[in-house]
Amino acid sequence: MNETMLKLVQGVDRLYPHELEQQFPRIMHKIIELWNTPQMEGYFTDLMVNSRGSERQGFPKKVASEIYYLSQVYDRTRNLPGSEDASPWANIDINKQRLIEGNGYQCTPQGFLKSAEAGDRATVSLFLSSGAEVDTRDERGWTPLMITAFNGNEEIAELLIRSGADVGIKDTAGYGPMHWAAFNGYANVIKLLIIKNADVNACSQHGWTPLLQGATRGHLAACGALIAGGANVNLASNDGWTPLHKACANGHIEVVKLLLAAKADRNAQHQDGVTPLALASKNKRTDIVSLLTTG
């Protein structure tokens, strides 16, 4: 490792640009050279945005990510007079603001959230490198990471988390990124969140877990990822619904098999006394009834 670069990233190994150093050493040394100069910001912008059309190939994904992270470290650690008390939106560099607006977004919290919704990695990166609050919220309490998890964009989720996004943050109803990834069945995002130490058994205000979300909608891969990550298959909602109840009620037989294999309680009772077997019988799911009454 280059000792100067390691100091610039405050000794944090995960922020050290290993791929950049290996594949583009001249660029890394140029960054070191310009770090404490007025030219640094413009150089980062030039690296991150190809303003020369087809004349320059884009960087490999890992290298591009490392450049984005370096630009963010630079923006967060430089000492701007008076910046401690100012809104980050008021301090966005004019060149980056123009690039963001040129991509079709307003340089506002709403614009940041829209870029995440659209899966626009380049613009999300510009917002982050400009010092935008990574956990910016909308009226639902959703952050860019929640939106990204809901849409299953693992690449942008990784970028946001590496930029400091809170994996345990919750919206106004108590649901977090893991809930929304499970809701739409994005096992890849679930695995990423688990690796980043998100709580696999997080509960909403009504006691709903990500596994309860995934089982209700029949997302087999997502449920498998959650269980592999330590999800409690018998953790019930405030009114007594378990993942097995919901999978049986909605006829998701493969999820039922998965839950039973993970030792789900087939005799669990909702607050009104109903069991998974009763729900399967009511809905005439003889195949699920057979699973529940054998073994």
Side-chain angles (χ1 to χ4, degrees), residues 60-70 121 155 159:
K61 183 169 68 173
K62 287 187 177 180
V63 173
S65 294
E66 288 179 346
I67 292 172
Y68 292 136
Y69 304 146
L70 283 175
R121 179 190 171 89
E155 187 179 6
L159 172 63

Side-chain angles (χ1 to χ4, degrees), residues 73-213:
V73 170
Y74 169 75
D75 281 331
R76 289 185 176 182
T77 57
R78 61 184 173 158
N79 185 17
L80 294 177
S83 62
E84 297 83 355
D85 300 320
S87 164
W89 302 98
N91 289 324
I92 291 181
D93 176 79
I94 188 63
N95 292 322
K96 290 183 180 179
Q97 181 176 340
R98 288 171 180 165
L99 289 168
I100 289 168
E101 292 174 349
N103 287 347
Y105 303 93
Q106 293 182 341
C107 206
T108 61
Q110 293 75 22
F112 182 23
L113 291 161
K114 284 185 66 177
S115 69
E117 176 73 31
D120 188 336
R121 179 190 171 89
T123 304
V124 169
S125 298
L126 281 170
F127 272 113
L128 292 171
S129 66
S130 299
E133 170 53 51
V134 68
D135 288 326
T136 295
R137 291 179 180 267
D138 65 12
E139 67 280 357
R140 302 166 295 181
W142 279 32
T143 65
L145 181 58
M146 289 183 194
I147 292 170
T148 299
F150 183 86
N151 290 327
N153 194 317
E154 181 182 0
E155 187 179 6
I156 295 182
E158 171 80 24
L159 172 63
L160 291 164
I161 294 168
R162 286 284 299 272
S163 300
D166 182 357
V167 297
I169 201 166
K170 293 186 175 183
D171 62 22
T172 56
Y175 295 95
M178 188 88 78
H179 286 94
W180 295 121
F183 182 83
N184 280 330
Y186 293 118
N188 57 333
V189 177
I190 289 169
K191 292 174 184 177
L192 171 65
L193 291 167
I194 290 172
I195 290 171
K196 300 300 182 180
N197 298 315
D199 182 4
V200 75
N201 290 311
C203 293
S204 73
Q205 291 178 6
H206 296 291
W208 277 61
T209 63
L211 183 58
L212 192 47
Q213 295 266 76

